[in-house]
Amino acid sequence: MRRFWRVLATIVVVLAVVLGAAFLLFRTPDTDPAAMRAKYGGPPSQFVDLGGGLNIHLRDTGPRNAPVLMLIHGSNASLHTWEPWAKRLEQQYRIIRFDLPGHGLTGPHPRRDYTMRSYADVVEQLRLKLHLARFVIAGNSMGGSVAWHYALWHPERVRALILVDSGGQPEPMRTSVPLGFRIARTPVLRYFATQITPRALIESTLDDSFTNRELVTPAMVDRYWELLRYPGNRQATVDRFSTRRDPASPARLQALKMPVLILWGADDKLIPVSSANWFAQQIPDHQVIIYPATGHVPMEERADESARDVLDFLSEHTADR
């Protein structure tokens, strides 16, 4: 019996050494905050202090007296995903986009609060800080969920709502879930995800988000990879995937009285195009546009078309709002 325990102890020690060596070999450290701010936070970026240790990385461009369009990015993205729209729309609109807590150069929420209520509160705090009265709010993926939650809780502030491949349907029939997302949801594995983040994993996830993979450039992969490793963001991702979901329901969506534009990629692998139809069935005042041969981020993959569709929709539906 003693021999058995000695052998078992030896095996445990060897495994611990092997795992420790593998961890040290493959560990990807956090990026340097100063270097990241220099690389991704140059003009027109600014940092807005909301108090309590929360500083929001934000870009606010376009005429100060123009109608406001606020853009909310998706999971593990950043304000940079909206640059194609900003370039095309900032002549007519004041464009505000920012990194949600747990993302980009904003970094983790000081209270590790990644609920929809917390995210919607950040939108409201920014509204007050920037002295906005009413505005159009748009969101992609998880950012779509933030946008429609905000519109439900602050309808008097929202002129129109734009959902771009939005989250929210309780049980969408996904064709696949990216490996990185599966890891973030898996106990034990998600701990290692806070320490080991291969660049190839990020590239694979981005490949799943685009139909035209030529748009997934090395610079884009580097940006996602480096900002995910901004101190605290990987732990924030694990915390967020562990947070209880707050899905939509027919009753909630039917309460949206503002005009709603629903944009979707026909070949979205993350949130299927059937979700566009589900949202449309619940929302009273809506318009749906589906882009063929397009993935999860039409504002990047169909920048010209989607920006033009936004302009047309807003010129028709918000002139008297």
Side-chain angles (χ1 to χ4, degrees):
M1 183 61 69
R2 290 181 180 176
R3 177 180 173 81
F4 169 79
W5 288 113
R6 285 199 300 270
V7 171
L8 182 60
T10 301
I11 292 173
V12 169
V13 170
V14 170
L15 283 175
V17 170
V18 170
L19 289 174
F23 180 82
L24 292 174
L25 180 63
F26 294 106
R27 180 176 178 269
T28 41
D30 286 342
T31 49
D32 176 69
M36 292 298 97
R37 288 194 175 203
K39 186 172 183 178
Y40 298 115
S45 285
Q46 58 180 292
F47 291 85
V48 179
D49 185 359
L50 296 185
L54 185 57
N55 285 283
I56 300 294
H57 175 221
L58 177 143
R59 290 184 177 178
D60 182 354
T61 56
R64 300 297 87 183
N65 60 348
V68 174
L69 173 57
M70 184 178 288
L71 306 173
I72 316 293
H73 67 75
S75 178
N76 294 112
S78 66
L79 60 75
H80 297 85
T81 193
W82 295 109
E83 291 307 309
W85 273 18
K87 291 177 181 177
R88 291 162 176 79
L89 299 174
E90 63 187 8
Q91 299 302 313
Q92 297 90 347
Y93 284 86
R94 178 181 174 185
I95 306 294
I96 297 172
R97 62 269 193 211
F98 62 95
D99 291 341
L100 289 166
H103 297 79
L105 299 179
T106 293
H109 194 288
R111 298 192 308 276
R112 296 174 67 173
D113 187 350
Y114 303 106
T115 60
M116 283 295 132
R117 175 63 72 176
S118 176
Y119 279 139
D121 285 349
V122 167
V123 174
E124 179 63 5
Q125 289 176 69
L126 284 173
R127 183 193 70 80
L128 293 170
K129 197 82 171 181
L130 299 175
H131 306 291
L132 309 177
R134 300 178 71 237
F135 55 94
V136 177
I137 187 168
N140 169 240
S141 194
M142 183 191 77
S145 289
V146 176
W148 65 255
H149 275 91
Y150 181 85
L152 276 178
W153 293 328
H154 301 277
E156 74 284 358
R157 300 299 179 189
V158 178
R159 301 177 67 205
L161 171 64
I162 303 172
L163 301 178
V164 187
D165 296 64
S166 174
Q169 184 179 1
E171 295 296 337
M173 299 298 293
R174 290 184 175 89
T175 55
S176 64
V177 178
L179 177 60
F181 288 7
R182 295 200 298 271
I183 290 172
R185 293 187 178 119
T186 305
V188 180
L189 284 182
R190 61 192 180 199
Y191 164 74
F192 288 100
T194 67
Q195 301 294 324
I196 301 173
T197 311
R199 185 181 183 278
L201 180 64
I202 306 305
E203 185 171 14
S204 173
T205 300
L206 286 171
D207 281 342
D208 284 339
S209 299
F210 286 80
T211 297
N212 180 5
R213 289 178 173 80
E214 291 183 1
L215 296 175
V216 182
T217 63
M220 177 186 290
V221 176
D222 284 344
R223 186 181 75 236
Y224 272 82
W225 186 47
E226 291 172 345
L227 291 179
L228 178 59
R229 291 160 47 227
Y230 189 85
N233 281 352
R234 286 184 285 186
Q235 182 61 55
T237 299
V238 169
D239 291 344
R240 183 161 41 81
F241 276 97
S242 303
T243 298
R244 184 177 179 179
R245 295 180 66 235
D246 184 19
S249 67
R252 299 179 88 180
L253 295 179
Q254 286 163 14
L256 296 171
K257 302 306 181 184
M258 69 286 296
V260 180
L261 176 61
I262 301 169
L263 306 178
W264 225 276
D267 297 330
D268 189 336
K269 294 181 180 179
L270 277 67
I271 306 179
V273 70
S274 58
S275 282
N277 299 322
W278 183 83
F279 274 104
Q281 289 169 8
Q282 325 305 333
I283 296 172
D285 184 2
H286 70 270
Q287 179 181 340
V288 179
I289 300 175
I290 308 297
Y291 300 105
T294 304
H296 189 58
V297 284
M299 65 281 191
E300 295 193 69
E301 198 162 9
R302 296 280 183 171
D304 288 335
E305 294 172 59
S306 60
R308 185 169 57 249
D309 290 335
V310 167
L311 280 177
D312 291 344
F313 176 81
L314 295 181
S315 64
E316 179 180 352
H317 293 278
T318 63
D320 57 346
R321 286 177 175 264

